[in-house]
Amino acid sequence: MAKLNEKNEAQRVATDGQDLLVVQNLVKYFPVQGGLIASILHKGKIPAVKAVDGVTFTIKRGEVFGLAGESGSGKSTIGRLVLRLYEPTRGKVIFDGIDLLKLKPEDMRHIRSRMQLVFQDPLAALNPRMTIGQAIDNPAAIHLSHLNADERRQAVLDILHQVGMNPPEAYYNLYPHQISGGQRQRIVLARALVTHPELVVADEPIAMADVSVRSILLDLMLKMKQEFNLTYLFITHDLATAKYICDRIGVLYLGKMCEMGEVGEVYEYPLHPYTQALLAAVPVPDPKRRRTTKMPEGEIPNPINPPTGCHFHPRCPLAQAICSQKEPEIRELRPGHTVACHFAENFLPKE
Ligand code: SF4
């Protein structure tokens, strides 16, 4: 466990030393802008988008933990809450034993170099007026202030080399529009890694990349994980990608965790109808193994006014009366495999 400065040591809480990140009952409600009219329509209560509604998970050191779900499930919001780019409504985020939500903003700066975000859209993430060298030097200047300008330049060249931009000197003075999309994603990764973080929150990091380079980028992320001893929170809507890179996975629906477990376990024995539907939507190359379950009809409901009981019940092909009345508890039905469904026992493998 790394030594922290005195202020941060004061916020240290007891955790399992193996856990790098502990997220407990995390909630984020975004008040809806609408002022008086919204207030009148909702009888005096200011409505809120319930983006994240009581999510709990842990990530062990060196693990790749995936958060999966459709657009609007809350997965990207959780990534930003973990980094405290958004302030949670309530809940706990404990990083390396430090309760982040108790840190003052200035104390978060010491922790930020140890936690980095890789954005989905590298073109939007990179300033078009900054060269690649400047873009990577920017976080280095903030978080590696003990290095002088020459040492920082060398650090930038080293990280460019490590992400496969060779020779690095040839790329240092180029602008983002002068390189390919796949190369831009390497630059975004280099910029995140130059401060040698421990946790990387990767938000759909290959979603904007050309299909032909996606597996190359995933392999690069796995290689960087080994070289830098990284832990990833990997956010994706694509369960095929999650299967490739993640050790464990949590499936989110409308701000709540439906199912969580080791990837092999969840993919082999999905216990929640929503996970089953997502897996059914993953293309399978072998026609004999094609799954028969169809993705449920309909959109994710309005998160301002989510369905009662199980949030998934309006779309669930297996819903019964209790599903709209009572929220299912999260239960561990197989070792390390939890699920929130009243009828998940029906999907347990026959012994
Ligand atoms: Fe479907 Fe009911 Fe299970 Fe929810 S609790 S996933 S509605 S069967």
Side-chain angles (χ1 to χ4, degrees), residues 272-274 310-314 316-320 323 328 340-344:
H272 195 285
Y274 180 57
C310 173
H311 283 0
F312 190 53
H313 84 258
C316 182
L318 307 171
Q320 299 187 32
C323 300
C341 170
H342 293 305
F343 302 104

Side-chain angles (χ1 to χ4, degrees), residues 161-173:
H161 169 70
Q162 283 173 290
V163 299
M165 301 293 284
N166 290 307
E169 293 82 0
Y171 293 97
Y172 193 95
N173 290 316

Side-chain angles (χ1 to χ4, degrees), residues 219-236:
D219 286 340
L220 175 66
M221 288 187 71
L222 289 172
K223 180 168 165 262
M224 292 295 104
K225 175 180 172 295
Q226 293 302 325
E227 290 183 12
F228 287 81
N229 286 326
L230 296 172
T231 302
Y232 286 131
L233 172 56
F234 191 92
I235 295 164
T236 183

Side-chain angles (χ1 to χ4, degrees), residues 121-178:
D121 182 356
L123 204 52
L126 295 169
N127 185 334
R129 286 184 289 278
M130 272 190 185
T131 65
I132 287 163
Q134 288 169 332
I136 302 174
D137 183 61
N138 220 7
I142 296 167
H143 297 297
L144 305 178
S145 52
H146 57 286
L147 301 182
N148 65 35
D150 286 345
E151 289 168 333
R152 286 210 319 270
R153 180 182 164 85
Q154 190 54 51
V156 172
L157 291 172
D158 288 347
I159 195 70
L160 279 171
H161 169 70
Q162 283 173 290
V163 299
M165 301 293 284
N166 290 307
E169 293 82 0
Y171 293 97
Y172 193 95
N173 290 316
L174 294 184
Y175 287 88
H177 71 272
Q178 294 176 298

Side-chain angles (χ1 to χ4, degrees), residues 47-286:
V49 173
K50 297 178 173 116
V52 178
D53 205 2
V55 169
T56 295
F57 63 90
T58 60
I59 309 182
K60 298 206 177 303
R61 289 171 201 280
E63 192 173 47
V64 182
F65 181 79
L67 276 180
E70 292 168 285
S71 173
S73 61
K75 54 192 189 304
S76 293
T77 303
I78 291 173
R80 281 155 180 78
L81 290 168
V82 162
L83 297 170
R84 227 179 133 185
L85 299 175
Y86 295 156
E87 287 299 319
T89 304
R90 58 180 174 271
K92 276 191 174 176
V93 178
I94 298 165
F95 171 75
D96 192 23
I98 304 285
D99 190 340
L100 295 188
L101 306 185
K102 290 195 173 154
L103 292 182
K104 294 192 178 118
E106 62 267 27
D107 296 329
M108 266 306 292
R109 188 172 164 272
H110 298 285
I111 302 290
R112 280 250 160 76
S113 65
R114 300 172 60 197
M115 312 166 76
Q116 293 289 332
L117 176 63
V118 173
F119 291 91
Q120 177 181 147
D121 182 356
L123 204 52
L126 295 169
N127 185 334
R129 286 184 289 278
M130 272 190 185
T131 65
I132 287 163
Q134 288 169 332
I136 302 174
D137 183 61
N138 220 7
I142 296 167
H143 297 297
L144 305 178
S145 52
H146 57 286
L147 301 182
N148 65 35
D150 286 345
E151 289 168 333
R152 286 210 319 270
R153 180 182 164 85
Q154 190 54 51
V156 172
L157 291 172
D158 288 347
I159 195 70
L160 279 171
H161 169 70
Q162 283 173 290
V163 299
M165 301 293 284
N166 290 307
E169 293 82 0
Y171 293 97
Y172 193 95
N173 290 316
L174 294 184
Y175 287 88
H177 71 272
Q178 294 176 298
I179 58 176
S180 69
Q183 288 175 325
R184 280 194 287 272
Q185 197 54 281
R186 286 174 191 260
I187 299 304
V188 170
L189 187 59
R191 190 177 63 173
L193 298 186
V194 72
T195 61
H196 289 245
E198 291 150 70
L199 176 71
V200 172
V201 176
D203 187 1
E204 303 268 16
I206 61 162
M208 306 288 279
D210 195 272
V211 173
S212 62
V213 299
R214 286 184 185 175
S215 63
I216 296 170
L217 289 170
L218 288 178
D219 286 340
L220 175 66
M221 288 187 71
L222 289 172
K223 180 168 165 262
M224 292 295 104
K225 175 180 172 295
Q226 293 302 325
E227 290 183 12
F228 287 81
N229 286 326
L230 296 172
T231 302
Y232 286 131
L233 172 56
F234 191 92
I235 295 164
T236 183
H237 68 282
D238 176 9
L239 265 69
T241 301
K243 187 178 185 187
Y244 188 80
I245 195 166
C246 297
D247 300 309
R248 283 193 307 126
I249 188 171
V251 179
L252 288 166
Y253 185 78
L254 212 60
K256 289 190 181 284
M257 193 71 87
C258 301
E259 183 159 13
M260 186 164 56
E262 291 188 3
V263 159
E265 161 75 19
V266 171
Y267 282 58
E268 187 68 23
Y269 305 113
L271 300 177
H272 195 285
Y274 180 57
T275 313
Q276 292 165 5
L278 287 179
L279 284 171
V282 174
V284 179
D286 180 355

